Amino acid sequence: MTKLLIALASAGLLALGGCASTSNGTSSTQASAQATPGISAAAQAALKQAESDVGASKKDGNEWTTAAAALKNAQDAAKKGDSDAVLKNAKFASELAKLSIAQLKYPTTDVFK
């Protein structure tokens, strides 16, 4: 009888847990901040900064695919609650995004004139 009650309680919690995740049109930055309560404040700040930096490089039309991949890895790690992986990937994504923006300021090489 006790095993049956435990099984029913577990099934009920799983069913209610599936209903808890609804989206009401929040932006991706707000959604990631709300969806990551299990990571440290430093990881949340790094993720927010990475999202901003990668967004700026995308806006300039010079987004590097490695920066986008690192940001996605950071967001996935945040969903899992892995602060260390979030910090590592978010910092890498920010660094690459800043480098891609700086690349636009490099002089052109007119080798084939």
Side-chain angles (χ1 to χ4, degrees):
M1 182 70 175
T2 305
K3 289 182 183 179
L4 177 64
L5 289 175
I6 292 173
L8 288 174
S10 297
L13 288 174
L14 287 173
L16 289 175
C19 297
S21 62
T22 59
S23 176
N24 58 358
T26 59
S27 70
S28 64
T29 305
Q30 290 173 341
S32 67
Q34 291 173 354
T36 58
I39 63 173
S40 67
Q44 287 180 353
L47 181 59
K48 185 175 180 180
Q49 182 65 44
E51 289 172 341
S52 174
D53 292 341
V54 171
S57 70
K58 192 174 193 176
K59 185 182 103 181
D60 288 342
N62 200 37
E63 179 186 25
W64 290 353
T65 56
T66 50
L71 177 60
K72 183 177 182 327
N73 290 340
Q75 290 170 334
D76 290 343
K79 289 177 186 174
K80 295 176 185 174
D82 188 356
S83 294
D84 293 334
V86 171
L87 281 169
K88 177 185 162 197
N89 288 302
K91 287 181 180 181
F92 187 58
S94 286
E95 180 181 338
L96 291 176
K98 288 175 184 176
L99 288 171
S100 73
I101 292 169
Q103 182 183 28
L104 294 173
K105 297 175 185 169
Y106 293 164
T108 61
T109 56
D110 295 327
V111 176
F112 299 106
K113 271 192 166 181

